[in-house]
Amino acid sequence: LVMCGAAAAGSHTPRIIADVTQLPVHCIDTPDVSALGAAMIARSLVDATCPLDDISRQWTPSRRTITPNPNVAEYNSLRAKYFSILSTPPNY
């Protein structure tokens, strides 16, 4: 999973998401990631010799990775309950 913006800058939200999903969360350190993406597109449009995929690899922002804690059993039952609710048809 990849997070960006204010939530990714904190420590609590990425930790909760990693623990609940049991997936690593990559937090992008660039605060204005939308502007970075726009600059990448603009660069590729101005310089046809520079493909967008090359630019994106060269300008990849730094990130930190939050790995899930496998010992968070309380999320397992909550996750199971949530998915059972999602798979149950509404009772109107």
Side-chain angles (χ1 to χ4, degrees), residues 13-89:
T13 302
R15 165 60 47 213
I16 292 168
I17 291 173
D19 290 346
V20 167
T21 62
Q22 288 296 291
L23 295 170
V25 176
H26 304 286
C27 299
I28 304 299
D29 291 333
T30 301
D32 298 321
V33 74
S34 296
L36 176 62
M40 289 178 183
I41 292 169
R43 170 68 194 276
S44 72
L45 293 173
V46 170
D47 184 357
T49 64
C50 224
L52 185 56
D53 57 339
D54 288 346
I55 295 168
S56 65
R57 277 191 291 279
Q58 293 168 3
W59 293 10
T60 300
S62 62
R63 67 177 187 224
R64 62 188 168 88
T65 300
I66 309 298
T67 55
N69 180 350
N71 299 320
V72 187
E74 59 265 19
Y75 286 128
N76 294 334
S77 63
L78 291 171
R79 184 175 49 247
K81 183 176 180 180
Y82 175 74
F83 284 124
S84 74
I85 291 169
L86 286 179
S87 63
T88 305

